[in-house]
């Protein structure tokens, strides 16, 4: 089976979390062809994408050193995980790559401060770096665990329009590039570790797919690769029958149809956004929501409905008076 799977920011937020991810990917690769998509690292006190965006905005407001001040913290976040999980040889390869990336955006921030203007195109260059760092870290951690892996920037795969900050994919061009770049890796048993959130315009300029866009990246790649299933690894066992904060006896649902998922999302439940997974729904590719921190749990399967059923879940939108 070919499986494209995505790990969200908290699923890759610490060395322990990345260790879990390596275990999951290692197990999956034993049975399936696996493609991995990763978000930027989200530690409880350091959410990479938020920090990058805040520093870019501070630069535009005149604080040219804002990025250079946060860069060591971000480097440290990634390298602490690397020291924990990677072989010395991998650490030695990774560190200069991350340093170069942070030096580049620190310089860029100084220029932005001089110009006093941050275009959406320039902002994408900053905000997309978290995924680039993390794909390299996770590929290095996988290799150190004996799993052949290669970091791939989605700028090489996902072709988008030029709507910076909220770009739309062009599926035919994306399919061609993704086939050419990823199929040889997959066939050799190498796990591609692809950056979520980013793509590139036809002329090669980095774009982003909108905040939280890594789910979209995963769906796009699942669709163009014609995956048998697409798995979204999150911090919950799956979609719940109700909000557990309101309904204590809420439970995880085994199965939902695409339209039930869309309805739940429409009425405020915290599930995958329908627009995000449209490329998968159109091709009727089954989706699973699974828990990185409880991988034995089968999660919730979202697929075509098998039989008209009864109500599966309730959700509510709070209207304040
Ligand atoms: N890192 C990006 C964000 O925080 C994309 C994602 O997490 O899906 O918006
Ligand atoms: Mg994120």
């Amino acid at each position: 089976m070919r499986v494209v799977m995505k790990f969200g920011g908290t699923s890759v937020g610490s060395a322990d979390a990345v260790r879990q991810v390596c275990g999951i990917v290692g197990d999956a690769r034993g049975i399936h062809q696996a493609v991995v998509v990763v978000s930027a690292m989200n530690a409880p006190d350091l959410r990479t994408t938020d920090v990058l965006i805040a520093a870019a905005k501070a630069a535009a407001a005149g604080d040219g050193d804002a990025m250079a001040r946060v860069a060591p913290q971000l480097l440290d976040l990634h390298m602490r995980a690397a020291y924990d999980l990677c072989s010395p040889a991998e650490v030695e390869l990774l560190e200069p790559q991350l340093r170069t990336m942070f030096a580049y955006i620190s310089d860029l921030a100084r220029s932005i401060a001089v110009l006093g203007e941050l275009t959406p195109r320039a902002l994408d260059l900053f905000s997309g770096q978290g995924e680039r760092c993390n794909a390299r870290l996770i590929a290095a951690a996988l290799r150190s665990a004996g799993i052949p892996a290669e970091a791939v920037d989605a700028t090489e795969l996902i072709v988008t329009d030029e709507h910076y900050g909220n770009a739309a994919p062009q599926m035919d061009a994306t399919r061609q590039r993704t086939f050419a770049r990823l199929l040889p890796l997959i066939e050799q048993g190498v796990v591609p570790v692809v950056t979520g959130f980013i793509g590139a315009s036809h002329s090669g300029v980095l774009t982003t797919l909108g905040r939280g866009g890594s789910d979209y990246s995963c769906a796009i790649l699942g669709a163009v690769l014609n995956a048998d299933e697409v798995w979204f690894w999150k911090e919950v066992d799956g979609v719940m029958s109700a909000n557990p904060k309101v309904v204590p006896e809420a439970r995880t649902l085994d199965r939902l149809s695409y339209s039930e998922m869309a309805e739940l999302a429409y009425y405020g439940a915290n599930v995958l956004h329908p627009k995000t997974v449209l490329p998968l729904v159109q091709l009727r590719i089954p989706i699973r929501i699974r828990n990185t921190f409880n991988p034995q749990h089968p999660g919730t399967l979202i697929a075509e409905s098998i039989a008209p059923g009864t109500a599966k879940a309730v959700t509510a939108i709070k209207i304040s008076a």
Side-chain angles (χ1 to χ4, degrees), residues 6-10 38-42 47-50 52-53 127-128 130-131 196-198 208-217:
K6 177 251 174 182
F7 294 91
T10 312
V38 293
S39 294
M41 273 183 109
N42 270 343
R47 300 177 67 85
T48 302
T49 313
D50 293 349
L52 291 169
I53 291 174
S127 62
E131 274 72 12
F197 187 44
I198 62 175
T208 63
L209 304 173
R211 290 304 310 266
S214 299
D215 283 351
Y216 198 18
S217 311

Side-chain angles (χ1 to χ4, degrees), residues 11-201:
S11 293
V12 288
S14 64
D16 282 341
V18 176
R19 189 174 291 112
Q20 281 283 116
V21 168
C22 291
I24 291 169
V25 174
D27 288 348
R29 182 185 165 268
I31 325 170
H32 307 298
Q33 290 185 340
V35 174
V36 172
V37 178
V38 293
S39 294
M41 273 183 109
N42 270 343
D45 52 345
L46 205 60
R47 300 177 67 85
T48 302
T49 313
D50 293 349
V51 170
L52 291 169
I53 291 174
K57 289 189 172 161
D63 182 359
D65 288 326
M67 191 63 75
R69 278 199 308 278
V70 293
Q73 295 167 34
L74 292 174
L75 181 67
D76 186 59
L77 175 70
H78 291 83
M79 289 314 298
R80 261 186 290 138
Y83 282 118
D84 211 330
L85 298 169
C86 300
S87 68
E90 289 289 355
V91 167
E92 216 172 293
L93 283 172
L94 181 68
E95 187 160 355
Q97 290 182 50
L98 301 195
R99 280 190 186 280
T100 305
M101 282 157 56
F102 287 120
Y104 166 68
I105 53 173
S106 298
D107 284 348
L108 195 62
R110 289 190 190 95
S111 318
I112 295 289
V114 173
L115 293 171
E117 185 196 26
L118 180 65
T119 60
R121 173 175 165 158
L123 180 57
D124 279 356
L125 280 178
F126 291 102
S127 62
Q129 295 301 320
E131 274 72 12
R132 299 188 67 227
C133 292
N134 208 18
R136 285 160 177 74
L137 164 64
I138 293 190
L142 285 169
R143 288 192 297 268
S144 302
I147 303 159
E150 185 174 320
V152 179
D153 284 331
T155 46
E156 291 185 61
L157 310 176
I158 298 182
V159 182
T160 72
D161 62 16
E162 292 182 357
H163 195 173
Y164 297 101
N166 195 20
Q170 299 183 343
M171 297 301 272
D172 288 339
T174 299
R175 184 173 299 106
Q176 271 178 22
R177 292 211 191 168
T178 304
F179 264 59
R181 179 73 172 92
L182 296 193
L183 283 189
L185 294 179
I186 297 173
E187 275 154 17
Q188 290 162 42
V190 177
V191 178
V193 181
V194 183
T195 55
F197 187 44
I198 62 175
S201 67

